[in-house]
Amino acid sequence: MNDLPKKEQLFQLIRSNPFISQQQMADQLGLSRSAVAGHVASLIRERRLLGRAYVLPAARAVLCIGAANLDRKLRTLAPLQMATSNPASAEETYGGVARNIAENLARLGSACALLTALGDDAAGQALRGHAEGAGIDMTGSLKLPGTATGTYTAVLDAGGEMVVALADMALYDHLTPAFLAGRQPQRSAASLVVADLNLPEASIALLLGDAQRGGARLVIVAVSQPKMERLPRDLRGLRLLILNRGELEARAGRPLPTEAHVRQACRALQAEGAQDVVVTCGAAGVYHTVPGDLRWLPAQEVDDVVDVTGAGDAFSAAVCWSLAEGDDDLTVACTRGLHAAALTVQSPHTVSPALTPDLFSAALHPVQD
């Protein structure tokens, strides 16, 4: 691209990231802001540009920020025996918490976008192509030269339950506050921002600060107990935190054996600034906060569990779908989430094809006590 005239180089930068700022273009091309503005004006006169990329669209997208990686699933063909070789079947699919949530949202009919980091390898190209084919806007995602795309390897037992998982996701450390600041127009245009804790702590803090100052509502989804340390102590601005019981224990720094302990830990998170908290408990169900209390919802019964991978992300996506649609009733949102999770565990796919735009056309309001 360096052999091209500056105006053409600038045009290529805008094509690769329509949300790029004039200052970023000036820095990358070694030009002054006024020179960049002149080239932009010239491109608009030539009708090669029609205006600023961040004019609000008719349908504001849910913006997911975080991991998009290649998932490898190894499933034992007999009861697992530790410290020895086990016969297993293997498959590869597309994963990552933020990516999975985005695909679930797209299947549910939401406009959605994904900000992530991909390597310049075949896996990265395939992930981008699959996401765009699923209806996910990948504008603004990072492509890192000389870097391998992230991977997540899960070992499942013969019943489809996860035994252990290993994640190689260091490239998401490139989703820095500076990167997010460069995507400010895209974030401001979102109806809801959903971030996973593969992001660095400083990036999570930036998103919280923006939400506190009146930016798009923010949902944070935990990804593992070790990465709970990336969640800042100051949670002001946070609309909703979704995490499982083990992750809540990691945050609290102690076991939470009873509902009273869970309630106390959720109240502590609210005292730190979170408006609401959802605590998932696997196949049992979920807790969610209500004004002054905690409510329990049992999971839907499933006779045939095929694969639990992706069930938590389907739950989170359905909750976020509900919020993005303007329904702030967390009981309704979590009921929808449990329905989406039940469909997902009955599918061999990380994102179930049974999730369709008409899935929640009828409200799933449960009977209140």
Side-chain angles (χ1 to χ4, degrees):
M1 191 170 81
N2 291 338
D3 295 332
L4 297 173
K6 290 293 187 181
K7 184 170 78 172
E8 295 305 316
Q9 293 183 44
L10 181 145
F11 183 62
Q12 293 301 321
L13 286 176
I14 293 172
R15 288 189 64 182
S16 64
N17 178 15
F19 298 94
I20 193 169
S21 69
Q22 289 193 1
Q23 186 60 59
Q24 287 175 306
M25 290 187 280
D27 293 343
Q28 292 189 41
L29 298 177
L31 296 172
S32 66
R33 280 283 299 274
S34 60
V36 168
H39 286 313
V40 169
S42 175
L43 289 165
I44 291 174
R45 285 194 300 272
E46 296 168 10
R47 299 197 61 78
R48 297 171 68 190
L49 293 179
L50 300 181
R52 301 292 291 273
Y54 41 84
V55 172
L56 291 179
R60 298 176 66 193
V62 178
L63 179 60
C64 301
I65 310 176
N69 39 260
L70 188 66
D71 278 3
R72 299 187 176 103
K73 292 189 281 189
L74 303 173
R75 182 167 179 166
T76 60
L77 303 179
L80 181 68
Q81 299 182 53
M82 303 303 292
T84 188
S85 175
N86 288 264
S89 62
E91 64 173 306
E92 290 187 342
T93 187
Y94 302 117
V97 170
R99 193 218 70 86
N100 290 348
I101 291 173
E103 186 181 344
N104 277 290
L105 285 166
R107 287 187 178 274
L108 290 170
S110 289
C112 64
L114 175 64
L115 287 181
T116 189
L118 299 171
D120 62 354
D121 52 2
Q125 295 173 16
L127 271 163
R128 177 181 285 273
H130 181 270
E132 291 174 342
I136 302 168
D137 180 5
M138 295 291 288
T139 301
S141 284
L142 276 177
K143 181 180 179 181
L144 299 171
T147 303
T149 295
T151 60
Y152 170 88
T153 302
V155 178
L156 310 176
D157 64 21
E161 296 290 337
M162 185 178 72
V163 178
V164 69
L166 303 172
D168 178 10
M169 299 184 183
L171 80 169
Y172 304 123
D173 290 340
H174 291 275
L175 300 178
T176 61
F179 165 77
L180 293 177
R183 279 29 177 202
Q184 177 67 52
Q186 191 175 9
R187 293 189 291 112
S188 297
S191 63
L192 185 72
V193 172
V194 184
D196 73 34
L197 284 182
N198 286 299
L199 296 177
E201 180 179 355
S203 298
I204 295 292
L206 179 144
L207 295 174
L208 285 165
D210 279 0
Q212 186 182 355
R213 289 187 292 270
R217 292 174 301 164
L218 177 64
V219 176
I220 292 176
V221 181
V223 299
S224 68
Q225 293 181 41
K227 289 189 176 177
M228 285 303 296
E229 65 185 19
R230 299 189 174 199
L231 186 66
R233 287 292 160 183
D234 185 352
L235 299 178
R236 287 176 294 174
L238 182 58
R239 171 63 186 88
L240 178 64
L241 174 64
I242 303 175
L243 74 175
N244 66 31
R245 194 163 184 158
E247 290 156 352
L248 183 62
E249 290 178 336
R251 174 70 173 204
R254 64 185 187 279
L256 304 171
T258 69
E259 181 174 314
H261 290 96
V262 173
R263 180 181 292 104
Q264 184 181 37
C266 289
R267 285 177 175 169
L269 288 168
Q270 290 179 301
E272 291 165 346
Q275 181 177 339
D276 278 304
V277 183
V278 171
V279 184
T280 62
C281 300
V286 302
Y287 292 105
H288 74 81
T289 53
V290 293
D293 203 358
L294 191 69
R295 176 168 292 161
W296 170 256
L297 294 175
Q300 297 185 7
E301 292 187 12
V302 176
D303 294 329
D304 184 18
V305 174
V306 176
D307 186 344
V308 300
T309 307
D313 299 335
F315 172 87
S316 296
V319 170
C320 292
W321 180 91
S322 207
L323 294 177
E325 290 293 309
D327 192 340
D328 280 336
D329 187 327
L330 267 189
T331 300
V332 172
C334 289
T335 301
R336 289 168 170 159
L338 291 168
H339 184 45
L343 291 175
T344 302
V345 300
Q346 297 174 78
S347 168
H349 305 285
T350 301
V351 177
S352 171
L355 298 178
T356 60
D358 61 352
L359 183 64
F360 301 134
S361 56
L364 297 175
H365 289 271
V367 176
Q368 300 296 317
D369 295 333

